[in-house]
Amino acid sequence: MISINFVIDKIAFEMTNFDKRKLTEILLYILNKTKGLDYYHVFKVIYFANISYLAKYGFPMVSDEFCALPDGPVPSVLYNCIKGDPQCDKELQAMINSSISKGTDDAYYMLEANRQPDVEYLSKADIEALDKSICENVNLPYGELRAKSHGEEWKRAYAQQGRKVLDIIGMAKDGMASDDMIEYIKDNLLVEAALS
């Protein structure tokens, strides 16, 4: 029998144009609801919304890859675009740069929306997960949010060599997915691997 971890490692990660647009609209949704926010809190709001969504529906809300950094998990493609990494996804970076404003000088980490989100890209379930995560995480101090984000899957990914990518099963478990939902996710990953 094929190991599910082998399957997860072999599934190619690629964001479609729709995935990038949805991620941009999620970012705008958060920034509009909060009237602007530092990117650390933005990333954690997205992370906790994503694992809650994953545990409830069996697939992630966003198509970004989450990596374990010292201060917790981040959506890596979005993170690279916001920090201006030269190797970042240029299409997503252009979408973000035309939609948000970044702070300057001492407030370089602050983000503000330049427009309202296009909610046609967000489902009712997306909005529900985002609202819950905003409510639970936006006002947490840095230290509490950092501790909260260091779940079992973050610990596993952070301890590994090379790229410290969180896997979907571990994130679902951290999101409190039931055993039946974990099996459902594993089955879907096997089907996805067979079709790719």
Side-chain angles (χ1 to χ4, degrees):
M1 178 157 179
I2 299 173
S3 159
I4 192 68
N5 290 332
F6 176 78
V7 169
I8 291 168
D9 289 344
K10 296 304 169 200
I11 293 175
F13 175 76
E14 188 173 322
M15 292 175 77
T16 65
N17 180 275
F18 178 86
D19 295 332
K20 295 170 191 178
R21 182 67 190 269
K22 180 177 179 181
L23 188 54
T24 302
E25 301 310 318
I26 285 171
L27 176 61
L28 285 166
Y29 184 84
I30 294 166
L31 295 176
N32 276 285
K33 286 285 274 196
T34 61
K35 309 293 187 236
L37 195 60
D38 63 278
Y39 60 73
Y40 183 81
H41 277 78
V42 168
F43 297 150
K44 299 308 177 271
V45 166
I46 293 172
Y47 175 72
F48 286 114
N50 194 60
I51 65 172
S52 172
Y53 192 96
L54 179 58
K56 187 171 184 177
Y57 299 107
F59 54 93
M61 182 182 70
V62 297
S63 297
D64 204 338
E65 213 173 34
F66 287 83
C67 290
L69 296 186
D71 292 324
V74 298
S76 63
V77 176
L78 178 61
Y79 175 71
N80 287 338
C81 288
I82 287 177
K83 72 176 185 173
D85 187 300
Q87 304 301 316
C88 77
D89 184 300
K90 299 302 183 203
E91 183 180 29
L92 178 60
Q93 187 178 42
M95 289 179 190
I96 291 167
N97 287 346
S98 68
S99 303
I100 68 163
S101 296
K102 298 176 189 173
T104 58
D105 302 325
D106 291 344
Y108 68 91
Y109 51 86
M110 294 300 296
L111 306 174
E112 289 185 357
N114 291 341
R115 64 173 174 84
Q116 291 293 314
D118 182 346
V119 292
E120 293 295 316
Y121 283 88
L122 306 178
S123 69
K124 288 181 182 178
D126 294 335
I127 291 170
E128 179 184 292
L130 288 166
D131 285 345
K132 181 177 185 282
S133 186
I134 288 167
C135 180
E136 293 175 354
N137 299 298
V138 163
N139 294 315
L140 286 181
Y142 164 81
E144 284 182 43
L145 192 55
R146 183 179 191 275
K148 180 180 177 182
S149 70
H150 285 197
E152 292 305 311
E153 180 54 22
W154 175 88
K155 291 174 188 171
R156 184 209 60 79
Y158 192 71
Q160 70 188 14
Q161 297 295 317
R163 291 192 70 232
K164 299 177 182 313
V165 178
L166 281 71
D167 86 33
I168 198 163
I169 300 297
M171 287 192 296
K173 288 178 181 177
D174 280 355
M176 307 305 286
S178 67
D179 291 343
D180 287 345
M181 184 57 78
I182 297 295
E183 289 307 310
Y184 173 77
I185 294 167
K186 287 178 180 178
D187 290 346
N188 283 342
L189 288 171
L190 289 169
V191 169
E192 187 177 336
L195 296 174
S196 61

